Amino acid sequence: MELDGITFGYDDQPTLKELHLRLKPGEVLGLLGRTGSGKTTLARLLLRFYDPQQGCIRLAGTDIRECKLAELRSKAALVTQNIEILQGSVRDNLTFYDDRITDEAIIGVLRELGLRGWYESLPEGLDTPLASGGGSLSAGEAQLLAFARVFLTDPGVVVLDEASSRLDPLTEHRLEQAVDKLLTNRTCIIIAHRLTTVQRADQIVIMEQGRIVEAGPRTKLASDPESRFSRMLAAGLEEVTV
Ligand SMILES: Nc1ncnc2c1ncn2[C@@H]1O[C@H](COP(=O)(O)OP(=O)(O)O)[C@@H](O)[C@H]1O
Ligand SMILES: [Mg+2]
């Protein structure tokens, strides 16, 4: 994944300024920065919810603007704590109407994610309608369902906007395991809010007001007492980023 001089603004004020970034296949990038620094905006550009005003984003050497949108969305996925619930059944919400995905595959993934109990509580199984807005789901369940979608479509690139609020310990544990599985054999950008997640990153990027203010291998930055990253670690990360 390559970001080559990305500048983007929602209006005439730039939100992202001259970003350069390179990730090798299978690498994990931990993206840090205060609220409003532009992390989510960057994630949106990678999935082409918006296109940059300057610069280009390449996946495996191809400008993502040359990819069909459906193709891009099968190669790259965005996982956030605010899962978009479609007006439809649990099955529709997990497969996005892709009928090549079998019920067995869906149930297998739900079981792996520790959602078996939730699945068994559904009155009509996978045919149960999911309330739009996801009102019937806890925050942890919503995030786990977003993971289930990713495992069923199996993209090579994942952007994870990690839940910033604390969840109950059991859900936390399930999410930890899901993140481990998510990172295996994928190129990932994790907008990280937790120390445990940051420890899994190969590379770290810190953003401030739409610019990259620090970037480098995690171990190198962690061992440099002058780095912003090591100061964040010392402060416990969450206080600095949220
Ligand atoms: N849809 C939008 N329209 C206009 N401005 C936006 C929109 N989304 C985010 N912004 C602005 O862009 C800046 C970066 O926001 P965001 O990317 O959400 O940061 P982060 O994820 O790091 O908290 C903020 O100033 C925010 O107000
Ligand atoms: Mg954000």
Side-chain angles (χ1 to χ4, degrees):
M1 179 193 301
E2 268 178 288
L3 270 66
D4 200 352
I6 294 298
T7 295
F8 168 79
Y10 292 99
D11 44 38
D12 47 10
Q13 290 287 84
T15 295
L16 300 178
K17 299 158 196 161
E18 276 285 312
L19 301 189
H20 291 272
L21 195 67
R22 253 164 199 272
L23 264 190
K24 295 194 198 107
E27 267 190 330
V28 176
L29 173 75
L31 183 58
L32 306 172
R34 286 174 204 275
T35 301
S37 58
K39 306 179 300 293
T40 299
T41 303
L42 176 58
R44 290 181 185 140
L45 295 194
L46 286 166
L47 275 290
R48 286 200 70 201
F49 293 108
Y50 300 92
D51 281 329
Q53 275 104 25
Q54 282 170 46
C56 99
I57 301 174
R58 283 183 285 267
L59 284 184
T62 306
D63 187 331
I64 59 171
R65 282 170 291 203
E66 284 160 25
C67 258
K68 288 214 172 74
L69 209 50
E71 195 189 336
L72 176 66
R73 302 273 163 89
S74 69
K75 285 183 183 165
L78 176 61
V79 182
T80 72
Q81 63 211 82
N82 304 317
I83 183 173
E84 301 276 334
I85 303 289
L86 314 171
Q87 197 75 45
S89 66
V90 170
R91 183 189 296 101
D92 301 336
N93 269 285
L94 290 174
T95 64
F96 291 121
Y97 304 97
D98 180 346
D99 53 20
R100 289 168 302 181
I101 299 173
T102 64
D103 286 1
E104 266 178 344
I106 298 171
I107 294 163
V109 164
L110 292 178
R111 191 183 300 129
E112 273 184 79
L113 288 171
L115 288 171
R116 189 184 182 145
W118 175 80
Y119 165 71
E120 281 168 356
S121 75
L122 297 170
E124 298 163 65
L126 296 177
D127 292 318
T128 308
L130 257 190
S132 67
S136 54
L137 295 166
S138 72
E141 284 166 348
Q143 178 127 66
L144 284 165
L145 281 187
F147 275 91
R149 282 178 174 170
V150 174
F151 294 132
L152 290 167
T153 38
D154 200 21
V157 174
V158 171
V159 184
L160 169 62
D161 203 341
E162 195 177 40
S164 51
S165 50
R166 286 197 179 282
L167 303 164
D168 65 274
L170 179 61
T171 308
E172 287 271 357
H173 179 67
R174 284 173 180 164
L175 279 171
E176 292 275 307
Q177 289 183 316
V179 170
D180 276 337
K181 196 164 171 252
L182 192 76
L183 299 185
T184 310
N185 298 322
R186 287 194 179 90
T187 309
C188 289
I189 295 185
I190 303 183
I191 300 171
H193 297 280
R194 281 148 225 269
L195 286 168
T196 44
T197 314
V198 171
Q199 304 302 350
R200 296 175 172 105
D202 304 303
Q203 302 286 333
I204 295 290
V205 160
I206 301 176
M207 289 181 61
E208 214 175 88
Q209 296 180 14
R211 293 184 194 279
I212 293 176
V213 292
E214 187 166 287
R218 176 181 54 82
T219 48
K220 190 167 161 240
L221 293 179
S223 63
D224 173 1
E226 299 293 303
S227 73
R228 288 169 199 254
F229 180 58
S230 67
R231 280 180 273 146
M232 277 188 180
L233 291 178
L237 189 63
E238 286 180 61
E239 295 160 42
V240 191
T241 55
V242 178

